[in-house]
């Protein structure tokens, strides 16, 4: 890590490298968020060759996972250098070379809790975008109350045999591997009997089935496990202490969701203003509808206050202090702000926002409407708003538990 | 990256952290909120403590941002905002906004050398108080509706008009008055000594226990040397002064909402009903958690706006609107919830929390309410 050049030099170097190498067709196409890019995996539909060329270019330098150790395919950079890299990508509108739950969730978790064999097996393949991962946490009776997972894993020689059901498994049908919480000791108290297990989706007995969302897309599945044999070596951490691993991973998940919403400053407001200009037919000057203008300003202010808070926490970290209690507000503030922005966009679009396909509607409006529908999930997934409020009330404000 | 694009620095350095904690400690002790009950009733009351004001001058707080040449410490507006936040915690009615924000900022931004030399050292050492009289009944901050007049004479101007609700005008040694110059249409600022002939000042009684007065100008004569800022630019000067007042007041609001929230969380832990502390009820926990979020967002807005005054003047109008609107909403919400969560005791004059609710309403409407700030914000953002 110490070999990395000082930040300004590094920035110049990266910029020059990008200018010289990044595929022209990808420039200016992406907000560079944690969901915008190549998800990889063996089941990925055919993809633009430039996307693969871009992945290869970065992979060669370890830049698909800039902060991971070189031994596992990363670039061994520290956080500040990685931030510079992403800032430069964003400045050129380039997507991240590889995205997904492998890179954002299970990778960092394996770095912390995985054994050497697990790291060597999985991390390089995540860096290359070769394997796509999905998350098998939720079950029909274990949502917010995640520690109530019931899917059984029973030991049989050097394997576990897994039976049960996961639900809301995002992209299970497109994934190659799944990380699961399974119950390995049904007699222990809730959190105690859970193990963290890596399962190859191609193992006989694993069956994902699509679930359609209100937005019309089917990004997630219910996933059934019947007599699925998984090698003992696929347990991350100790058997029956998977809960610790599970919680660490949830931290990575929240930060991914937070990042996906912390976009370029002011971009949400610009989008709304453009939408209002389009739908109200007011190309310039003050918007003719003062109530709408007020609502957009309200949302724009919320956006700026949120961006400033993100920046303040980053500065606190930069200054070597711990950001403390305020980071716990980010998930809820970000997701609710995003929902209010979508809701306002729908108000601006009026009846033009009622399209389901582009028969009779603008494709852009239809996309927005589907995005609006999808945004309702933001306050449920990754720990619902109510759960976040519980955390703030108890851990930050120190309010007592109920009887 | 260009420095203009990087976010404003919002952290306090070591010295500033020290200032913040010293100020908070000193003021909690010497200016507890409960004294608001006594202050206005004391005989010959000014409505604030001159002794305390002098003590703060000794500590250097009144001259923090005033240049050394004029007896101050020559620090930034950000430093002043730190003291303002602390003063807000106990809702101090001392003349911070009138003297340090409105009056002193007008002179700092637009005063002549002679005006600064005459007034600023006294502001820094606590011996002089200033006020600004600009708004009029029905005007609601809209300068196009300002009616007070300044008639041009051979050797100066004659001022006429009525200005209600001018903060601390009852004690100010000099009042900066906004009036429309005749002939012409420009708005000018004029600094008027309190003993000027034709100037009448009538003390008002406010529910929020800030102090203010109605200023009547009945043919008050002032010389050319009373003009603050060249007449051609005084309207811009007035906006700049008001923006700084918005940011400074927001810092006070931030301190106030933080304190009201602290008191409420403490009460949630202490008050027992149904055999448990009421803070164990999830309905209340979630509302308290939401207030916590709003305060954190308001805090970032205030710190960024205060820093912009020192570092990025071009962003001040937009960020002043942001800070004022966010703090207005958050403070009001915190104070209203604070009363609700205190139950009956929160409604009594004997309890301090009610002071916060009254001040929240006052602060929300001063220097333009939330809707006004959002209009200014939209203008600054080009829509
Ligand atoms: C789009 C989407 C993608 C997802 N992707 C995945 C995935 O890839 N992998 C995966 O494992 N899971 C995934 N999830 C599942 C997600 O984590 C759960 O939906 C979430 O944890 C909530 O659980 P639940 O749906 O069972 O709701 P419930 O827990 O039943 O909650 C119902 C309601 O009750 C409230 N509630 C519950 N407990 C409390 C409490 N203690 N106090 C107050 N209110 C409470 C909740 O906030 C909610 O409003 C996804 C969900 C969505 C919507």
């Amino acid at each position: 890590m110490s070999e990395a050049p000082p930040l300004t030099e590094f920035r110049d170097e990266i910029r020059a490298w990008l200018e010289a190498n990044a595929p022209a067709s990808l420039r200016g196409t992406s907000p560079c968020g944690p969901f915008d890019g190549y998800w990889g995996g063996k089941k990925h539909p055919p993809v633009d060759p430039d996307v693969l060329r871009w992945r290869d270019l970065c992979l060669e330098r370890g830049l698909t996972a800039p902060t991971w150790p070189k031994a596992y395919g990363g670039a061994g950079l520290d956080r500040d250098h990685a931030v510079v890299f992403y800032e430069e990508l964003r400045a050129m509108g380039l997507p991240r070379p590889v995205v997904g739950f492998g890179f954002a969730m299970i990778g960092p978790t394996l770095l912390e809790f995985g054994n050497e064999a697990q790291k060597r097996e999985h991390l390089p393949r995540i860096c290359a975008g070769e394997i796509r991962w999905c998350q098998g946490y939720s079950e029909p009776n274990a949502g917010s109350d995640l520690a109530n997972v019931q899917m059984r894993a029973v030991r049989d020689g050097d394997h576990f045999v897994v039976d049960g059901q996961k639900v809301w498994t995002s992209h299970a049908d497109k994934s190659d591997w799944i990380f699961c919480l399974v119950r390995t000791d049904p007699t222990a108290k809730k959190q105690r009997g859970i193990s963290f297990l890596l399962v190859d989706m191609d193992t006989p007995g694993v069956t994902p089935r699509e679930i359609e969302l209100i937005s019309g897309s089917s990004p997630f599945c219910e996933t059934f496990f019947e007599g699925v044999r998984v090698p003992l070596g696929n347990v991350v951490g100790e058997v029956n202490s998977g809960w610790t691993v599970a919680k660490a991973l949830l931290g990575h998940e929240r930060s991914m969701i937070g990042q996906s919403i912390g976009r370029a400053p002011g971009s949400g407001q610009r989008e709304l203003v453009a939408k209002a200009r389009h739908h109200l037919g007011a190309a310039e000057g003050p918007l003719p509808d003062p109530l709408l203008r007020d609502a957009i300003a309200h949302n724009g202010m919320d956006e700026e206050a949120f961006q400033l808070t993100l920046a303040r926490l980053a500065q606190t970290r930069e200054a070597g202090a711990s950001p403390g209690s305020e980071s716990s507000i980010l998930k809820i503030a970000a997701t609710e702000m995003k929902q209010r922005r979508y809701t306002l966009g729908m108000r601006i679009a009026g009846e033009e926002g009622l399209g389901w396909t582009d028969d009779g509607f603008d494709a852009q409006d239809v996309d927005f409407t589907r995005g609006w529908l999808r945004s309702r999930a933001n306050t449920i997934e990754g720990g619902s708003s109510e759960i976040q409020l519980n955390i703030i009330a108890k851990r930050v404000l120190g309010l007592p538990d109920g009887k | 990256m260009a420095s203009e694009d990087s976010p404003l620095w919002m952290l306090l350095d070591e010295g500033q952290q020290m200032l913040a904690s010293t100020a908070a400690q000193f003021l909690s002790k010497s200016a507890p909120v409960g004294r608001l009950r006594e202050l206005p009733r004391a005989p010959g009351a000014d409505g604030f403590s001159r002794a305390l004001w002098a003590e703060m001058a000794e500590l250097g707080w009144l001259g923090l941002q005033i240049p050394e040449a004029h007896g101050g410490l020559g620090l930034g507006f950000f430093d002043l905002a730190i003291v303002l936040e602390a003063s807000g915690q106990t809702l101090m009615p001392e003349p911070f906004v009138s003297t340090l924000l409105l009056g002193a900022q007008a002179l700092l931004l637009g005063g002549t050398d002679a005006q600064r030399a005459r007034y600023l050292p006294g502001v820094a050492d606590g011996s002089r108080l200033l006020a600004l009289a600009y708004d009029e009944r029905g005007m609601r901050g809209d300068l196009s509706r300002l009616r007070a007049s300044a008639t041009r004479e051979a050797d100066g101007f004659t001022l006429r008009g009525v200005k209600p609700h001018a903060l601390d005008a009852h004690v100010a040694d000099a009042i900066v008055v906004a009036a429309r110059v005749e002939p012409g249409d420009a708005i000018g600022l004029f600094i008027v000594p309190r003993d000027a002939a034709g100037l009448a000042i009538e003390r008002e009684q406010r529910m929020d226990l800030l102090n203010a007065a109605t200023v009547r100008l009945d043919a008050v004569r002032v010389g050319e040397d009373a003009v603050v800022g060249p007449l051609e630019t005084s309207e811009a000067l007035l906006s700049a002064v008001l923006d700084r007042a918005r940011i400074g007041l927001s810092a006070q609001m931030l301190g106030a909402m933080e304190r009201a929230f602290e008191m409420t969380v403490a009460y949630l832990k202490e008050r027992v009903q149904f055999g448990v502390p009421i803070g164990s009820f999830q309905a209340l926990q979630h509302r308290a958690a939401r207030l916590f979020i709003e305060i954190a967002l308001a805090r970032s807005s205030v710190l960024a706006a205060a820093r912009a005054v020192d570092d990025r003047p071009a962003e001040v109008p937009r960020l002043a609107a942001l800070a004022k609107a966010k703090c207005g909403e958050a403070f009001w919400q915190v104070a209203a919830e604070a009363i609700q969560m205190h139950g009956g005791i929160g409604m009594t004059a004997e309890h301090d929390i009610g002071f916060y609710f009254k001040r929240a309403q006052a602060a929300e409407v001063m220097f333009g309410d939330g809707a006004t700030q959002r209009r200014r914000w939209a203008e600054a953002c080009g829509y």
Side-chain angles (χ1 to χ4, degrees):
Chain A
M1 260 169 232
S2 50
E3 5 167 332
L7 286 178
T8 43
E9 221 171 284
F10 178 71
R11 186 184 295 282
D12 293 342
E13 194 184 304
I14 284 290
R15 191 175 299 173
W17 180 73
L18 291 175
E19 292 287 359
N21 294 292
S25 68
L26 299 183
R27 299 185 191 194
T29 62
S30 167
C32 191
F35 300 129
D36 309 296
Y38 177 53
W39 286 74
K42 292 184 275 195
K43 300 166 191 165
H44 202 289
V47 56
D48 174 358
D50 276 351
V51 168
L52 296 180
R53 200 156 66 77
W54 172 228
R55 188 252 339 242
D56 292 341
L57 276 167
C58 292
L59 184 60
E60 214 171 284
R61 301 188 143 219
L63 288 172
T64 60
T67 60
W68 296 9
K70 289 183 175 173
Y72 306 126
L77 296 174
D78 60 21
R79 205 182 150 273
D80 292 345
H81 283 78
V83 167
V84 166
F85 173 62
Y86 290 126
E87 281 173 0
E88 290 305 310
L89 290 190
R90 193 168 303 131
M92 287 180 65
L94 286 163
R96 299 181 182 210
V98 171
V99 299
F101 294 2
F103 168 67
M105 291 200 263
I106 187 65
T109 307
L110 285 178
L111 279 171
E112 191 180 349
F113 295 95
N115 59 34
E116 194 53 34
Q118 289 165 343
K119 291 186 206 176
R120 294 217 172 263
E121 178 180 3
H122 297 293
L123 295 178
R125 296 200 290 167
I126 292 173
C127 290
E130 209 176 288
I131 293 297
R132 181 164 176 172
W133 285 85
C134 61
Q135 176 185 30
Y137 272 31
S138 306
E139 295 179 9
N141 288 313
S144 301
D145 186 10
L146 183 59
N148 194 40
V149 287
Q150 301 299 333
M151 189 162 90
R152 289 293 314 274
V154 179
R155 189 150 171 188
D156 178 19
D158 53 1
H159 280 72
F160 274 119
V161 179
V162 182
D163 284 281
Q165 184 196 344
K166 292 291 173 184
V167 73
W168 320 132
T169 332
S170 294
H171 316 297
D173 53 331
K174 300 182 193 71
S175 296
D176 308 299
W177 278 70
I178 182 168
F179 51 90
C180 291
L181 299 185
V182 292
R183 189 153 299 281
T184 36
D185 183 355
T187 60
K189 270 188 74 182
K190 254 181 158 181
Q191 280 87 347
R192 300 264 170 75
I194 295 174
S195 299
F196 193 103
L197 195 61
L198 309 177
V199 182
D200 184 337
M201 295 287 284
D202 288 338
T203 319
V206 181
T207 319
R209 193 175 299 153
E210 282 186 14
I211 304 175
E212 186 178 330
L213 289 189
I214 55 172
S215 61
S217 63
S218 304
F220 63 17
C221 297
E222 39 189 354
T223 310
F224 298 91
F225 291 74
E226 267 184 82
V228 178
R229 295 185 66 81
V230 182
L232 289 186
N234 287 11
V235 174
V236 179
E238 303 290 314
V239 172
N240 291 334
S241 33
W243 187 243
T244 313
V245 185
K247 278 194 303 189
L249 186 136
L250 286 174
H252 297 300
E253 178 175 11
R254 268 196 286 279
S255 92
M256 174 184 72
I257 294 176
Q259 280 177 40
S260 75
I261 292 172
R263 308 185 314 161
S267 57
Q269 173 171 269
R270 277 194 295 278
E271 203 175 290
L272 287 176
V273 171
K275 210 172 170 55
R277 292 208 179 287
H278 171 72
H279 284 287
L280 302 180
E284 54 192 26
L287 293 176
D289 178 341
L291 293 181
L292 207 48
R293 186 179 185 225
D294 181 78
I296 294 174
H298 211 149
N299 207 263
M301 284 181 164
D302 285 353
E303 182 184 23
E304 174 118 5
F306 175 73
Q307 297 283 3
L308 287 170
T309 305
L310 271 186
R312 182 157 63 88
L313 296 173
Q315 291 171 358
T316 309
R317 249 182 264 113
E318 207 174 300
S322 127
S325 52
E326 276 162 358
S327 56
S328 56
I329 70 170
L330 294 183
K331 199 258 170 190
I332 187 163
T335 51
E336 294 189 354
M337 181 183 74
K338 181 173 167 191
Q339 290 181 341
R340 288 196 300 273
R341 173 159 51 79
Y342 266 113
T343 304
L344 183 52
M346 291 301 284
R347 178 174 146 197
I348 291 169
E351 290 196 58
E352 298 308 321
L354 301 184
W356 187 246
T357 71
D358 47 16
D359 296 325
F361 295 92
D362 278 352
Q364 233 183 332
D365 288 328
V366 173
D367 282 350
F368 190 91
T369 298
R370 290 176 180 255
W372 164 70
L373 289 164
R374 174 63 179 82
S375 75
R376 301 317 298 179
N378 297 145
T379 48
I380 300 169
E381 63 199 333
S384 71
S385 292
E386 288 75 17
I387 296 301
Q388 306 303 322
L389 291 170
N390 285 347
I391 292 172
I392 296 172
K394 301 215 171 96
R395 299 212 199 123
V396 181
L397 304 180
L399 292 173
D401 280 326
K403 256 189 181 168
Chain B
M1 292 268 125
S3 68
E4 288 299 296
D5 296 333
S6 64
L8 286 150
W9 189 253
M10 282 166 274
L11 304 191
L12 283 62
D13 65 26
E14 229 166 277
Q16 289 164 337
Q17 284 174 23
M18 184 104 107
L19 175 62
S21 64
T22 319
Q25 266 167 29
F26 174 79
L27 295 177
S28 301
K29 203 156 70 174
S30 38
V33 66
R35 80 196 167 109
L36 289 178
R37 271 180 212 95
E38 310 311 324
L39 280 172
R41 295 187 205 139
D46 293 323
F48 71 96
S49 160
R50 286 194 188 256
L52 191 52
W53 192 249
E55 251 183 288
M56 290 189 290
E58 285 286 308
L59 288 163
W61 295 349
L62 306 186
L64 276 179
Q65 183 227 1
I66 290 175
E68 285 169 295
H70 297 304
L73 296 179
L75 299 176
F77 189 88
F78 192 84
D79 301 86
L80 174 57
I82 291 170
V83 170
L84 290 169
E85 183 190 346
S87 74
Q89 291 174 345
T90 57
L91 305 177
M92 290 177 70
E94 276 63 23
F96 291 101
V97 175
S98 55
T99 300
L100 302 188
L101 293 171
L102 298 169
Q105 302 306 322
L107 296 177
L108 283 170
L109 286 168
T112 62
D113 289 342
Q115 287 166 346
R116 293 182 196 205
R118 179 161 174 205
Y119 293 106
L120 292 180
V123 169
D125 72 20
S127 63
R128 274 185 193 269
L129 302 176
L130 302 174
L132 173 74
Y134 80 105
D135 211 6
E136 297 172 13
R137 194 149 275 152
M139 183 179 123
R140 294 189 164 232
D142 175 0
L143 293 178
S144 70
R145 288 194 283 172
L146 185 142
R147 282 175 319 213
S149 61
T151 313
R152 200 180 273 284
E153 314 281 353
D155 56 349
F157 299 86
T158 302
L159 307 179
R160 292 187 182 82
V162 182
K163 305 276 187 181
H165 318 322
L167 285 175
D168 302 312
H170 67 306
V171 289
D173 298 290
I175 301 173
V176 178
V177 173
R180 195 173 294 283
V181 178
E182 294 174 341
D185 200 32
I187 288 170
L189 295 179
F190 305 87
I191 187 158
V192 182
R194 107 169 261 107
D195 54 8
L199 183 67
I201 296 170
E202 296 148 19
R203 173 94 199 257
E204 299 171 357
Q205 293 292 335
R206 289 165 63 114
M207 61 120 182
D208 61 312
L209 299 174
L210 284 180
N211 301 296
T214 300
V215 175
R216 289 181 197 281
L217 301 134
D218 185 10
V220 173
R221 298 292 309 265
V222 293
E224 292 285 349
D225 62 352
V227 177
V228 181
L231 283 181
E232 310 78 60
T233 57
S234 9
E235 206 169 316
L237 170 62
L238 180 55
S239 309
V241 170
L242 292 174
D243 275 339
R244 289 185 175 195
R246 289 181 183 109
I247 297 170
L249 177 63
S250 297
Q252 287 193 314
M253 294 159 83
L254 177 66
M257 71 178 95
E258 285 169 335
R259 179 58 58 85
F261 183 63
E262 241 171 70
M263 290 164 64
T264 306
V265 170
Y267 192 71
L268 290 176
K269 293 178 185 175
E270 158 199 321
R271 168 72 173 166
V272 172
Q273 285 292 280
F274 300 97
V276 293
I278 56 172
S280 65
F281 300 132
Q282 196 184 48
L284 300 186
Q285 289 183 343
H286 282 193
R287 280 156 55 189
R290 287 199 176 275
L291 297 177
F292 176 79
I293 295 173
E294 290 309 314
I295 294 171
L297 295 170
R299 179 166 196 82
S300 310
S301 312
V302 170
L303 292 170
R307 182 72 75 186
V309 174
D310 295 325
D311 290 359
R312 273 185 226 167
E315 292 197 33
V316 166
R318 200 172 55 86
L319 290 174
L322 173 71
K324 181 64 178 41
K326 286 304 283 183
C327 287
E329 231 170 52
F331 185 13
W332 204 96
Q333 209 179 328
V334 167
E337 284 285 65
I339 291 194
Q340 179 67 21
M341 294 189 197
H342 275 82
I345 192 81
M347 285 301 296
T348 64
E350 192 187 319
H351 199 283
D352 290 342
I353 204 70
F355 288 126
Y356 288 85
F357 184 64
K358 294 174 189 167
R359 184 65 62 80
Q361 175 60 24
E364 162 63 12
V365 299
M366 287 163 69
F367 308 120
D369 65 5
T372 308
Q373 304 309 329
R374 289 192 290 277
R375 184 163 44 72
R376 299 177 59 248
W377 162 279
E379 278 161 14
C381 293
Y383 61 94

